[in-house]
Amino acid sequence: MNLTENAIKVLKKRYLAKDENGNLLEDPEGMFRRVARTVASADKEYVSEEELKSIEQEFYDMMVNLDFLPNSPTLMNAGRPLGQLSACFVLPIEDTMEGIFETIKNAALIHKSGGGTGFSFSRLRPKGASVNSTGGVASGPVSFMKVFNAATEAVKQGGTRRGANMGILRVDHPDIVEFITCKKNNADITNFNISVGITEEFMNAVENNEYYNLVEPHTGKIVGKQNAREIFDLIVDMAWNNGEPGIIFLDRLNKDNVTPELGEIESTNPCGEQPLLPYEACNLGSINLSNMLKYVDGKPEVDFAKLRTTVWKAVHFLDNVIDVNKYPLPEIDKMTRGTRKIGLGVMGWADMLCKLNIPYNSQSSIDLAEKIMHFIQDESRKASMELAEKKGVFPYYDKSIYKNLGIRVRNATTTTIAPTGTLSIIAGVSSGIEPLFAISYIRNVMDNDELVEVNPVFKQVAKEEGFYSDELMRRIAKKGSIRGFDEIPEWIQDVFVTAHDISPDWHVRMQAAFQKYTDNAVSKTVNLRNEATRKDVADAFWLAYKTNCKGITIYRDGSRDLQVLNIGKVK
Ligand code: UDP
């Protein structure tokens, strides 16, 4: 297999099966074989033994060629005792002591299995409201969020990965100001991403500079008013400060809720790409766009035939995962098998653009994004329709919008764009739909040795064009970007743009382009330079609202002490 050094390291550390002494029981091919065999086994009752073998081989080839990868829990747990294969969960939180602590327990079980959890804290009565049974007063959503955070800290996910949470509070909850500022200090509530649940009513009030009502969830009483612009500005200020909170447009999530009879969507998973009903889980998978090119007379173009067959196989794969999955709770089992949501998305988008010589920040790339995602959405739905013919529609089909539309599908949703934080490392490509973060960077390895890592697509072009040198790569690493390097041709500077070369509006427009053809949501961080102003943040929020994004997360470089990726921080 063609794996990078980083990929091998990540796989060895967390994905490959080990015995109790930590000895590896499989190599990467062995892992893909285990996953392919387990996922194919869902077809046992539908096909002959021979056909089953060829399905397994199809799944195996698609993964081993790094054309498609399922989310991490599937790679880690398929065919192993835990057997929990989904990355995304949403759990409800009831306004009772029993309810709150029941959910903490359930979240711990999910984290143990490598899944991430999202919750709405909006049903909890506000701080200071009375508690009948004790005659005392409630401590409010934020104080309980801290208990969830501490529980997550304690469950370090037995060797797989740390628990990740999303916490959401509706903008009309009386404790909204406390919520918006609860992560002001970088050291607080670190196991949560937080998002304010924004309503259309609120956005209208911001536009008209009006007050809006704060409503007590447990009584439905209006208990106060807030100036909408003041709250909006406070959210902007905090996001500028360190990236938290993000916002999600709750009414939009519910407008696209395909099973409204089953309940309201009140939260997403931790990274925001997967809105779900309470007790619903979803398994994701990503197609590596960097591999979806063909060369005609030496010129690269998108290979739509390969993309089509990869989408069909991926939908088949992800649908099978639902059947072989071991869900951590009976409620989750029922909901998830009931709606059969899957989330097929992409990674390696920036790499694909570089290979096609299209700058990320250009109308051509926006047009191509729409074309590709439209194609994936259409084909994935067709694949789901074909599966419905063979294996039946999803059990809650009669409670879905598809019934009235007369569209028979096996999966309530088929598309989601995940961050692909680790998947993209395994595939050795740019993550999700993000632009390149750096063209080259320096990694400190053992004995204080420094290793210069260069984006492989750039390295190839630099060699072809004859300007490659170790010395140049080292200089680029110090800066991250190649802007202003005279020895690099202008057109290459235009194509190989990094997150910080790109203005925030192009980030948002790219998110909107993919969202337009995605059933669920799109994970994207709108990266801003350190010098960005509060107005830049507010403008990005408005643009996300106006372009029909489902939510937005921004991050201003350097605004947290510890950040995952650094530019130019060379010792
Ligand atoms: N996730 C999690 N913990 C982590 C990383 C991810 O629970 O440390 C969950 C979370 O729900 C996130 C989803 O997995 O939204 C997908 O994340 P990503 O695509 O980065 O995961 P990968 O499959 O690449 O590991």
Side-chain angles (χ1 to χ4, degrees):
M1 269 196 80
N2 199 4
L3 292 167
T4 66
E5 225 177 285
N6 267 351
I8 293 169
K9 214 193 286 170
V10 168
L11 288 171
K12 278 190 180 157
K13 195 161 167 214
R14 300 198 306 188
Y15 291 71
L16 304 182
K18 292 181 187 142
D19 67 16
E20 61 271 27
N21 299 319
N23 302 314
L24 292 178
L25 296 172
E26 61 189 10
D27 56 10
E29 284 91 342
M31 171 188 77
F32 289 128
R33 182 56 69 186
R34 161 172 62 75
V35 175
R37 182 172 307 135
T38 308
V39 175
S41 75
D43 282 313
K44 234 186 240 156
E45 52 187 291
Y46 298 97
V47 300
S48 69
E49 215 160 284
E50 210 173 298
E51 281 170 302
L52 194 65
K53 276 249 146 12
S54 83
I55 292 169
E56 176 188 323
Q57 193 59 34
E58 260 184 32
F59 290 169
Y60 175 81
D61 288 342
M62 175 166 76
M63 290 187 285
V64 132
N65 295 332
L66 303 171
D67 289 338
F68 162 86
L69 290 176
N71 57 202
S72 291
T74 302
L75 293 175
M76 290 167 171
N77 300 334
R80 310 212 56 225
L82 213 45
Q84 196 295 104
L85 311 180
S86 300
C88 312
F89 295 79
V90 165
L91 294 174
I93 305 179
E94 250 184 61
D95 183 39
T96 64
M97 213 45 112
E98 290 79 1
I100 293 167
F101 283 88
E102 179 67 20
T103 301
I104 293 177
K105 180 193 82 183
N106 291 340
L109 291 175
I110 292 169
H111 292 168
K112 208 178 88 175
S113 71
T117 43
F119 324 87
S120 167
F121 287 83
S122 304
R123 266 193 290 269
L124 298 187
R125 70 191 67 188
K127 196 175 191 163
S130 60
V131 179
N132 287 340
S133 54
T134 60
V137 291
S139 50
V142 173
S143 76
F144 284 112
M145 239 171 79
K146 291 179 181 163
V147 183
F148 277 72
N149 187 66
T152 304
E153 190 65 35
V155 185
K156 295 264 166 136
Q157 293 206 7
T160 51
R161 53 181 172 179
R162 279 172 64 104
N165 298 299
M166 169 65 87
I168 285 175
L169 198 72
R170 285 176 64 95
V171 72
D172 54 9
H173 191 286
D175 288 2
I176 193 63
V177 170
E178 187 188 3
F179 179 80
I180 293 168
T181 52
C182 77
K183 293 198 65 178
K184 186 174 184 181
N185 183 335
N186 286 335
D188 286 345
I189 322 188
T190 48
N191 296 312
F192 269 87
N193 295 327
I194 61 167
S195 271
V196 179
I198 300 281
T199 58
E200 285 297 315
E201 186 195 343
F202 174 80
M203 288 311 276
N204 291 335
V206 178
E207 277 193 304
N208 303 325
N209 197 13
E210 287 167 356
Y211 280 74
Y212 72 101
N213 294 331
L214 298 181
V215 184
E216 225 178 30
H218 62 307
T219 61
K221 277 193 203 142
I222 295 170
V223 292
K225 281 186 187 306
Q226 279 286 5
N227 179 286
R229 280 205 185 155
E230 277 175 25
I231 293 295
F232 185 81
D233 289 345
L234 184 64
I235 299 171
V236 166
D237 187 40
M238 287 300 114
W240 178 88
N241 174 57
N242 66 4
E244 299 262 22
I247 57 180
I248 60 159
F249 299 115
L250 277 182
D251 293 333
R252 270 184 201 162
L253 299 189
N254 280 294
K255 204 170 99 256
D256 289 344
N257 179 1
V258 291
T259 53
E261 272 186 58
L262 291 178
E264 211 178 291
I265 291 179
E266 53 183 32
S267 182
T268 66
N269 69 322
C271 303
E273 71 275 17
Q274 187 61 49
L276 291 168
L277 296 166
Y279 288 123
E280 208 178 10
C282 185
N283 58 294
L284 313 177
S286 301
I287 291 180
N288 176 5
L289 288 179
S290 185
N291 277 7
M292 298 296 137
L293 292 167
K294 64 177 175 189
Y295 291 79
V296 180
D297 299 329
K299 285 190 78 178
E301 54 183 68
V302 179
D303 188 344
F304 281 99
K306 181 174 183 190
L307 184 58
R308 176 184 289 117
T309 51
T310 310
V311 168
W312 280 67
K313 285 184 226 165
V315 168
H316 181 189
F317 181 107
L318 294 173
D319 181 67
N320 276 15
V321 167
I322 299 168
D323 296 321
V324 295
N325 207 337
K326 290 185 196 159
Y327 294 101
L329 292 170
E331 293 92 333
I332 295 176
D333 192 282
K334 184 151 192 272
M335 271 305 284
T336 308
R337 290 184 201 278
T339 56
R340 301 190 70 88
K341 283 185 184 166
I342 57 172
L344 178 62
V346 297
M347 59 181 159
W349 167 238
D351 286 351
M352 175 188 244
L353 289 175
C354 287
K355 287 180 177 172
L356 289 168
N357 292 338
I358 300 174
Y360 188 98
N361 46 349
S362 68
Q363 188 58 42
S364 318
S365 81
I366 300 285
D367 294 344
L368 186 63
E370 289 194 5
K371 187 173 173 190
I372 287 181
M373 206 55 217
H374 194 174
F375 183 84
I376 293 175
Q377 188 182 43
D378 269 1
E379 292 299 325
S380 65
R381 199 162 286 160
K382 282 186 211 156
S384 181
M385 286 162 77
E386 198 199 60
L387 284 174
E389 261 172 46
K390 282 192 201 144
K391 300 177 168 180
V393 293
F394 60 94
Y396 286 135
Y397 176 82
D398 282 349
K399 296 187 191 306
S400 80
I401 57 153
Y402 297 108
K403 192 182 174 213
N404 290 337
L405 296 171
I407 301 170
R408 294 179 60 77
V409 282
R410 182 150 172 85
N411 311 91
T413 66
T414 53
T415 42
T416 301
I417 297 185
T420 70
T422 19
L423 291 190
S424 63
I425 297 176
I426 296 173
V429 298
S430 58
S431 57
I433 60 156
E434 298 292 354
L436 304 181
F437 192 77
I439 301 300
S440 76
Y441 63 96
I442 295 190
R443 211 151 47 94
N444 291 315
V445 288
M446 279 176 293
D447 304 327
N448 279 336
D449 261 0
E450 287 180 347
L451 207 72
V452 181
E453 301 262 1
V454 185
N455 174 283
V457 187
F458 181 73
K459 193 175 194 167
Q460 198 186 334
V461 171
K463 285 187 171 163
E464 280 166 13
E465 298 290 319
F467 64 83
Y468 183 89
S469 76
D470 288 344
E471 186 273 327
L472 178 63
M473 298 306 125
R474 186 164 281 271
R475 266 194 293 134
I476 294 171
K478 294 209 165 134
K479 223 181 138 210
S481 158
I482 53 173
R483 273 287 137 88
F485 279 80
D486 291 342
E487 52 273 72
I488 302 177
E490 194 109 348
W491 71 268
I492 294 179
Q493 295 193 29
D494 287 343
V495 167
F496 287 86
V497 279
T498 60
H500 291 289
D501 297 329
I502 295 168
S503 63
D505 56 317
W506 283 112
H507 280 271
V508 178
R509 289 183 62 194
M510 188 61 78
Q511 181 181 334
F514 277 97
Q515 182 63 71
K516 195 167 170 187
Y517 298 105
T518 301
D519 299 347
N520 294 298
V522 175
S523 168
K524 172 93 187 70
T525 301
V526 174
N527 276 295
L528 307 182
R529 288 161 177 269
N530 185 262
E531 315 80 79
T533 62
R534 289 171 176 78
K535 180 167 183 305
D536 294 331
V537 176
D539 288 348
F541 280 13
W542 275 110
L543 187 60
Y545 178 62
K546 294 291 177 194
T547 54
N548 281 316
C549 292
K550 296 257 170 94
I552 174 168
T553 304
I554 68 108
Y555 181 70
R556 191 169 59 85
D557 190 39
S559 66
R560 275 180 225 162
D561 302 332
L562 270 179
Q563 60 188 36
V564 184
L565 296 167
N566 279 306
I567 291 176
K569 297 246 170 82
V570 184
K571 270 197 238 162

